[in-house]
Amino acid sequence: MRSRRLDYSESTRSALVESAVELFTKRGYAGTSLDEIAKRARVTKGALYHHFSGKQALFEAAFDTVESQVFDRLEKIINGPDSPWERALAGLRGFLQGCLDPAYQRIAIHEAPVVMGWERWREAEERCSFGLVRTGIQSLIEVGEVDDVPVDVTARLLFGALSSAAIEIASSPEPKKVSAQVEEVLVRLLVGFRRVPPAEHGKAS
């Protein structure tokens, strides 16, 4: 049986993180105070310090939350019932859709490299997404959809392209337009890796 105290503690932490995500998205890290976060979450500042050592720790929890939302969506796609090729394209679109989310843009792309430091931010990004990219490429190779390219190198290059795409989208005054352009380019790159069936080779000759 779960204790009421544990349930209350978890709900308090969740309220604080939810409050932090909303305020960091609207005002950024520098423009948000712990007092505002606690007030919006309807808890005392003492309760906040019970769960988090300070603003940076709370920011990192907010970062983990927005990253996890994108990761969970992509994980369902990558492990879904469609063919590996369809999952790869759906995963790409799912990631680009996530890049249009204001919370992801502000917290994970704009603020995190500054607040967490570039190295820690890259490590967190890779820990969250790189494995999915690698799994997707490995699946495409195993079913013969793409040539037997070096998995780790290909995954690293594609991951780098996706990270750059996220920055381009988040920094653009027309993020939807840039997202569509990025999708077109990356789909063409994926198609370039795709193995052409023998029948299509015959047609080409």
Side-chain angles (χ1 to χ4, degrees), residues 91-110:
L92 170 61
R93 296 186 182 106
F95 174 75
L96 295 178
Q97 186 66 36
C99 291
L100 294 175
D101 176 51
Y104 186 81
Q105 289 182 0
R106 186 70 182 265
I107 295 173
I109 300 175
H110 288 307

Side-chain angles (χ1 to χ4, degrees), residues 115-188:
V115 178
M116 299 168 61
W118 179 264
E119 289 189 7
R120 286 192 63 211
W121 172 66
R122 288 295 294 173
E123 288 174 2
E125 287 277 287
E126 290 197 15
R127 190 168 58 248
C128 185
S129 306
F130 178 73
L132 291 179
V133 175
R134 192 187 188 287
T135 297
I137 292 172
Q138 185 68 53
S139 297
L140 290 172
I141 293 172
E142 289 174 354
V143 299
E145 281 281 5
V146 302
D147 291 324
D148 190 11
V149 294
V151 177
D152 285 333
V153 171
T154 305
R156 182 87 37 205
L157 291 174
L158 183 55
F159 178 78
L162 291 172
S163 296
S164 296
I167 294 171
E168 287 296 316
I169 293 168
S171 303
S172 173
E174 298 181 282
K176 289 185 178 180
K177 179 180 178 180
V178 173
S179 177
Q181 292 172 338
V182 167
E183 180 180 337
E184 180 183 359
V185 171
L186 290 180
V187 168
R188 288 188 181 188

Side-chain angles (χ1 to χ4, degrees), residues 19-20 25-26 32 39 58 76 81 86 109 128 133 143-144 152 155 176 180 183 195:
S19 174
T25 300
K26 288 181 178 179
T32 300
K39 183 178 179 180
L58 191 46
K76 288 179 181 178
E86 290 171 333
I109 300 175
C128 185
V133 175
V143 299
D152 285 333
K176 289 185 178 180
E183 180 180 337
R195 183 173 290 171

Side-chain angles (χ1 to χ4, degrees), residues 17-81:
V17 174
E18 181 183 335
S19 174
V21 168
E22 182 168 328
L23 290 173
F24 286 142
T25 300
K26 288 181 178 179
R27 304 177 187 176
Y29 183 78
T32 300
S33 70
L34 289 179
D35 287 324
E36 291 173 307
I37 293 173
K39 183 178 179 180
R40 189 192 175 283
R42 297 182 179 179
V43 303
T44 65
K45 201 168 179 182
L48 185 153
Y49 278 115
H50 175 75
H51 291 279
F52 301 99
S53 59
K55 189 160 76 165
Q56 179 160 339
L58 191 46
F59 177 87
E60 292 185 14
F63 170 83
D64 288 341
T65 295
V66 296
E67 280 282 349
S68 295
Q69 289 170 352
V70 174
F71 176 85
D72 291 345
R73 188 183 310 127
L74 295 182
E75 188 176 40
K76 288 179 181 178
I77 293 172
I78 295 299
N79 295 321

